[in-house]
Amino acid sequence: MSHSPLCIRKAAVLGAGVMGAQIAAHLVNAGVPTLLFDLPAKDGDKNGIVTRAIQNLAKLSPAPLADKTRALAITPANYDDHLDHLRDCDLVIEAIAERMDLKLALYKRIDPYLYDYAVIASNTSGLSIHALAQALPPRLRPRFSGIHFFNPPRYMHLVELIPGQETDRAVLTGLEAFLTTTLGKGVVYARDTPNFIGNRIGIFSLLATMHHTQAFGLEFDLVDALTGPAIGRPKSATYRTADVVGLDTLAHVVETMADTLSNDPWHAYFQSPAWLSALIAKGSFGQKTGTGVYTKRGKDILVLDLSKQDYAASNAKPSDEVAAILAIKNPVERFDKLRASNDPQAQFLWAIFRDLFHYSAYHLAEIAQTARDVDLAIRWGYGWKLGPFETWQTAGWTQIATWIAQDIAAGKAMRTVPLPDWVSKVDGVHHAHGSYSPRSGKDEPRSAHPVYQRQLFPDALIGEKFDTGTTLWENAGIRLWLLGDDDVGILSFKTKMNTVNDVVLDGIQHAIDYAERNLKALVIWQTGEAFSAGADLKSILSFARAGEMDRLHRMIWNFQQTSMRIKYSLVPVVAAMRGLVLGGGCEFQMHCARTVAALESYIGLVEAGVGLLPAGGGLKEIVVRAAQQAADGDVFPQIKRLFEVVAQAKLSGNALEAKRLGLLHEDAVIVFNSFELLHVAKKVAAAMAESGYRPPLPANDITVAGDVGAATLKMMLVNLREGRFISEHDEHIASRVADTLCGGAVERGSQVDEAWLLALELKHFFELVQMPKTQERIQHMLTTGKPLRN
């Protein structure tokens, strides 16, 4: 029997520093029991270093653990006592300090304990994989590679996979599938060159921006105002990003580039600016020490002012001319105006793009197989909306190339090396059939690895097109469509943030009618990053203010009928969710036959935050489930737990937490890679249909906690209000939630039906929506996007 190239039951991470501990956390998030190793502590418990690192995971934000109890699946270990435990590990990831001598010494030490089929990897951010492999015996070199996670590992989509010269192709294929499906990552193959792809291009971009900041005499906060969302990059832009990464860490990466890239034509720029070295010398490392380029004094954010050698108020904004240029939607016109402008801010922006494009094109053949690898690495590892080649292509490939060549000839670019010949032979690097490879001289398609057949809509690059299926029926609110020939319909909303209005409600009901006649199952799935932001608050507020209560009553009643139509559909309706799942969106998934949720799903019945209560059947469904789960007939403990979740408008931090909060059914399927969500949901829906699916029998005997239960919950609220933890209006909303969840004015242990509970939801919703304080809350949410506690 041949041994499977990759079968991972248990993993080990060597090094319990920031990255090592967080990689271990994400492995256990995905259900992989993990040993976490570090040096033995000099005093007390020999596992002390690792134990503290595991405890620290609970304090980090954003949270590395999707569920804090998963920390129990990380076993602390030290190199003196536990190396023999490595014999059970199928995957060993080394994540110690970025020093070749330390890594090589550790490999020699662990070698006798690694079994022949173990997969070994280094999380190095830039050291040579070939050089590291030489410390391993020949038997293990085919199973060694670089696996470079980006920080924080749970949230950053990118993992760079770096083969060594002897790495077995089957091992890489297995690792790619494991990283993609089990850990939910976007894998990019990088060549074994210093800093690989993400940091080679990303750190160069940072250094070029720092160089031009000085050259154009701009302030740090102005550069951040210019290089953040205004150009499709994260809010942390340039200098805030440096503070978050750690100025000492950044300086170390730059030093590594200087040491390892002596032949790079841009080598002279691989050095920390004087101000950066001065901050590090003072122990100002950025966010982790509280002071870096930025610092906080009281509530004020201050920025380093080099001319004053002190911190000053941060309030820089782009000039009117540059703000107007950046507001131009057409990228060709935007770049044309940037290059033509005499405004120093515009010239700065053109310069940082020009030098980034120049550097990326010059090094593409050396660091990656295709332009796709570079663009996805920068998108997934740095959070840019478009990678460098995509940005160049959208701005007009040939025109931009001409301008870059002119600037090189005029001595304006950072370096005088010419653009590579291939640049003038293509009209762009991304097309429908593939992305350009300078090595092969042609466009190469996406990977044929079977794992990508699970991604029906992968992260698309400029110029890429994927099959968007066949429309079966649509109205202004929804589209019902088919992808493939499995007879599983897909229902997608068309509204902004996939909010729910009358047209959506009518569309869902029509789609279910259609599915019952013509299809075997239905999946509710959205193309955007949010499943649904819930009911259309704008319509609700306008109806309430205009006194159109009949219209509003019809809308909410229709919402309830739609939820019930989903629940009692003759074909299984499966919710496929990722991103925000708020209010009515959460209520719909509660009524579905099954839910498939991406790990990064943020789920909540958050209506209390806008002065309302859930009235699309969500509270009713909580009561139904509590009654089904109450073994001894006492529903109150379950109701109390869910009451707190709803009354506090709690939003889950992920799908695992949503299960714990009771917002997601215990049998919900959790998918780690959101690009695989639709594939899995279609398979789940088809399997339910194949097993002879029937909807649940009507729930006519729902045991409720009654007036005694409601009184107990309301007493809790009185105490909270007297302690000033909640406002009077909070108490008012929560009392109505309590009344509905306990079944209204009936005796404890009474049995009611679903219609009774829906009527309670409707009654309380209507009384709340007419209150001025609720209308203030809705208006505040619509205006600011934040809840008002009035």
Side-chain angles (χ1 to χ4, degrees):
M1 188 176 92
S2 67
H3 192 282
S4 161
L6 198 62
C7 182
I8 295 171
R9 286 188 180 83
K10 191 173 183 182
V13 177
L14 312 179
V18 174
M19 281 303 282
Q22 292 197 68
I23 291 168
H26 196 57
L27 284 164
V28 297
N29 282 341
V32 181
T34 301
L35 287 164
L36 181 58
F37 279 83
D38 212 301
L39 296 165
K42 291 188 173 71
D43 307 308
D45 176 10
K46 285 179 84 173
N47 288 335
I49 292 171
V50 178
T51 304
R52 282 192 295 277
I54 295 170
Q55 288 167 347
N56 192 50
L57 290 171
K59 300 173 193 165
L60 292 178
S61 179
L65 288 163
D67 176 353
K68 286 182 182 173
T69 63
R70 300 229 166 181
L72 298 171
I74 306 175
T75 305
N78 69 77
Y79 301 125
D80 278 4
D81 302 329
H82 303 117
L83 286 180
D84 58 329
H85 292 186
L86 289 173
R87 297 186 205 278
D88 301 331
C89 295
D90 307 294
L91 173 64
V92 178
I93 299 174
E94 168 272 305
I96 67 169
E98 284 290 274
R99 274 180 49 187
M100 183 69 79
D101 58 335
L102 296 178
K103 290 181 189 286
L104 295 178
L106 180 61
Y107 293 0
K108 287 196 168 71
R109 189 171 178 188
I110 64 172
D111 161 31
Y113 302 95
L114 299 171
Y115 84 107
D116 286 352
Y117 293 106
V119 172
I120 327 297
S122 175
N123 181 55
T124 176
S125 56
L127 296 177
S128 164
I129 298 302
H130 177 66
L132 289 171
Q134 298 315 296
L136 291 167
R139 72 183 173 91
L140 287 173
R141 288 176 198 168
R143 304 184 73 77
F144 177 76
S145 64
I147 300 180
H148 180 217
F149 289 85
F150 273 61
N151 192 16
R154 172 183 155 192
Y155 299 92
M156 298 308 289
H157 192 57
L158 177 65
V159 170
E160 291 176 315
L161 189 52
I162 312 101
Q165 289 176 18
E166 298 173 61
T167 312
D168 183 339
R169 188 74 227 176
V171 170
L172 293 168
T173 301
L175 268 176
E176 189 171 3
F178 173 77
L179 290 165
T180 303
T181 292
T182 308
L183 297 189
K185 297 299 161 197
V187 174
V188 167
Y189 278 87
R191 297 192 178 281
D192 189 8
T193 56
N195 283 30
F196 313 129
I197 299 173
N199 284 342
R200 183 75 177 272
I201 301 297
I203 299 296
F204 172 79
S205 175
L206 202 65
L207 288 171
T209 304
M210 288 178 171
H211 166 74
H212 289 303
T213 300
Q214 209 164 345
F216 286 95
L218 304 182
E219 298 86 16
F220 295 134
D221 54 340
L222 174 59
V223 169
D224 276 355
L226 291 167
T227 59
I231 59 169
R233 296 185 190 173
K235 272 195 245 179
S236 55
T238 301
Y239 293 101
R240 281 185 202 279
T241 297
D243 270 357
V244 170
V245 167
L247 302 183
D248 53 336
T249 306
L250 175 62
H252 177 73
V253 174
V254 173
E255 193 181 331
T256 304
M257 288 177 80
D259 292 345
T260 55
L261 293 167
S262 54
N263 295 329
D264 191 310
W266 283 262
H267 184 265
Y269 295 98
F270 300 161
Q271 53 181 296
S272 296
W275 60 263
L276 179 58
S277 303
L279 282 174
I280 293 168
K282 284 197 293 190
S284 299
F285 298 155
Q287 195 174 66
K288 59 189 167 189
T289 58
T291 300
V293 178
Y294 291 88
T295 192
K296 202 170 181 184
R297 288 185 191 159
K299 289 188 176 175
D300 298 325
I301 304 282
L302 307 181
V303 65
L304 183 63
D305 184 329
L306 290 180
S307 63
K308 296 178 184 164
Q309 289 292 299
D310 196 4
Y311 289 89
S314 168
N315 52 14
K317 286 185 180 154
S319 67
D320 290 346
E321 182 185 341
V322 168
I325 293 172
L326 292 175
I328 295 169
K329 291 272 190 286
N330 182 334
V332 174
E333 187 186 345
R334 190 163 63 241
F335 269 84
D336 184 43
K337 290 250 190 326
L338 277 179
R339 189 165 191 273
S341 172
N342 290 320
D343 187 311
Q345 294 178 24
Q347 293 176 342
F348 160 80
L349 283 170
W350 161 250
I352 66 168
F353 278 115
R354 173 199 65 216
D355 290 313
L356 170 64
F357 297 159
H358 186 190
Y359 190 83
S360 302
Y362 185 87
H363 289 294
L364 174 58
E366 171 200 346
I367 64 174
Q369 182 61 24
T370 70
R372 180 192 305 109
D373 301 324
V374 172
D375 281 343
L376 291 179
I378 294 297
R379 274 203 204 183
W380 295 343
Y382 282 78
W384 296 11
K385 280 200 174 141
L386 296 177
F389 290 114
E390 287 182 288
T391 308
W392 180 349
Q393 184 167 324
T394 58
W397 183 268
T398 307
Q399 179 61 76
I400 294 285
T402 304
W403 286 339
I404 295 171
Q406 287 171 357
D407 279 14
I408 292 169
K412 290 180 181 175
M414 285 167 74
R415 274 290 167 259
T416 55
V417 290
L419 284 167
D421 291 343
W422 64 262
V423 170
S424 60
K425 295 175 183 166
V426 298
D427 62 350
V429 289
H430 300 302
H431 301 100
H433 51 274
S435 294
Y436 188 72
S437 166
R439 284 173 170 255
S440 65
K442 62 179 194 279
D443 287 345
E444 295 189 1
R446 279 185 179 251
S447 167
H449 191 305
V451 77
Y452 299 114
Q453 289 166 19
R454 299 165 58 85
Q455 298 188 17
L456 305 177
F457 291 89
D459 205 352
L461 293 160
I462 291 297
E464 280 191 305
K465 296 278 186 288
F466 301 104
D467 182 5
T468 54
T470 308
T471 301
L472 300 174
W473 181 85
E474 63 185 323
N475 67 2
I478 70 118
R479 176 187 178 224
L480 174 63
W481 50 292
L482 266 183
L483 189 64
D485 56 3
D486 58 3
D487 280 339
V488 176
I490 304 164
L491 193 157
S492 304
F493 301 176
K494 296 181 182 180
T495 48
K496 188 177 179 184
M497 294 286 285
N498 301 317
T499 50
V500 181
N501 57 21
D502 276 326
V503 187
V504 171
L505 294 169
D506 292 343
I508 293 171
Q509 292 186 48
H510 184 93
I512 293 172
D513 288 344
Y514 183 100
E516 286 178 337
R517 291 193 309 273
N518 304 293
L519 302 169
K520 69 181 184 188
L522 199 55
V523 170
I524 304 177
W525 178 83
Q526 317 293 9
T527 52
E529 283 301 299
F531 179 73
S532 174
D536 176 9
L537 286 176
K538 203 170 177 184
S539 296
I540 289 171
L541 185 61
S542 66
F543 292 159
R545 283 186 168 165
E548 295 184 54
M549 288 304 149
D550 284 350
R551 204 167 163 193
L552 187 51
H553 190 282
R554 268 198 314 276
M555 179 183 174
I556 304 306
W557 179 84
N558 199 19
F559 213 122
Q560 294 184 339
Q561 297 314 300
T562 305
S563 292
M564 294 295 275
R565 190 76 186 85
I566 291 170
K567 182 173 181 175
Y568 291 107
S569 162
L570 291 173
V571 296
V573 181
V574 172
M577 315 185 312
R578 60 181 165 183
L580 290 175
V581 186
L582 305 181
C586 179
E587 291 180 286
F588 280 161
Q589 72 84 19
M590 291 173 87
H591 286 82
C592 284
R594 198 83 180 271
T595 297
V596 179
L599 177 69
E600 300 306 334
S601 297
Y602 312 112
I603 305 166
L605 293 171
V606 294
E607 286 84 349
V610 288
L612 296 167
L613 53 62
L619 297 183
K620 178 267 300 177
E621 206 54 27
I622 287 173
V623 182
V624 171
R625 290 181 189 180
Q628 287 168 346
Q629 291 164 9
D632 57 358
D634 184 8
V635 297
F636 186 73
Q638 279 276 72
I639 292 295
K640 179 177 179 287
R641 193 167 63 85
L642 269 298
F643 165 72
E644 288 166 7
V645 171
V646 176
Q648 292 171 27
K650 276 188 185 169
L651 188 66
S652 78
N654 57 76
L656 286 172
E657 190 189 350
K659 275 193 180 186
R660 194 170 50 74
L661 291 175
L663 294 166
L664 206 52
H665 204 278
E666 199 42 53
D667 70 357
V669 178
I670 296 179
V671 174
F672 272 58
N673 195 320
S674 66
F675 294 111
E676 297 183 352
L677 188 63
L678 181 56
H679 166 84
V680 176
K682 277 163 63 76
K683 295 288 186 193
V684 167
M688 293 181 83
E690 291 296 333
S691 65
Y693 176 81
R694 289 292 301 174
L697 294 169
N700 297 322
D701 53 352
I702 307 158
T703 303
V704 292
D707 46 13
V708 175
T712 308
L713 296 176
K714 288 173 186 177
M715 186 51 66
M716 285 167 45
L717 296 173
V718 170
N719 293 337
L720 286 170
R721 187 168 62 79
E722 286 180 355
R724 299 194 174 177
F725 294 107
I726 60 173
S727 71
E728 192 177 333
H729 197 50
D730 287 329
E731 182 189 12
H732 196 82
I733 300 157
S735 293
R736 291 171 180 272
V737 172
D739 188 63
T740 309
L741 287 176
C742 292
V746 295
E747 289 183 14
R748 181 176 188 165
S750 296
Q751 293 191 326
V752 300
D753 60 11
E754 290 182 279
W756 174 270
L757 294 168
L758 289 172
L760 279 173
E761 284 185 3
L762 201 55
K763 167 184 176 289
H764 287 306
F765 180 94
F766 265 87
E767 287 168 6
L768 283 169
V769 80
Q770 295 176 71
M771 293 179 180
K773 285 194 172 175
T774 285
Q775 294 182 13
E776 282 170 27
R777 286 192 179 195
I778 297 173
Q779 184 62 64
H780 191 268
M781 178 61 76
L782 289 170
T783 309
T784 68
K786 291 176 183 161
L788 171 70
R789 287 280 177 233
N790 55 353

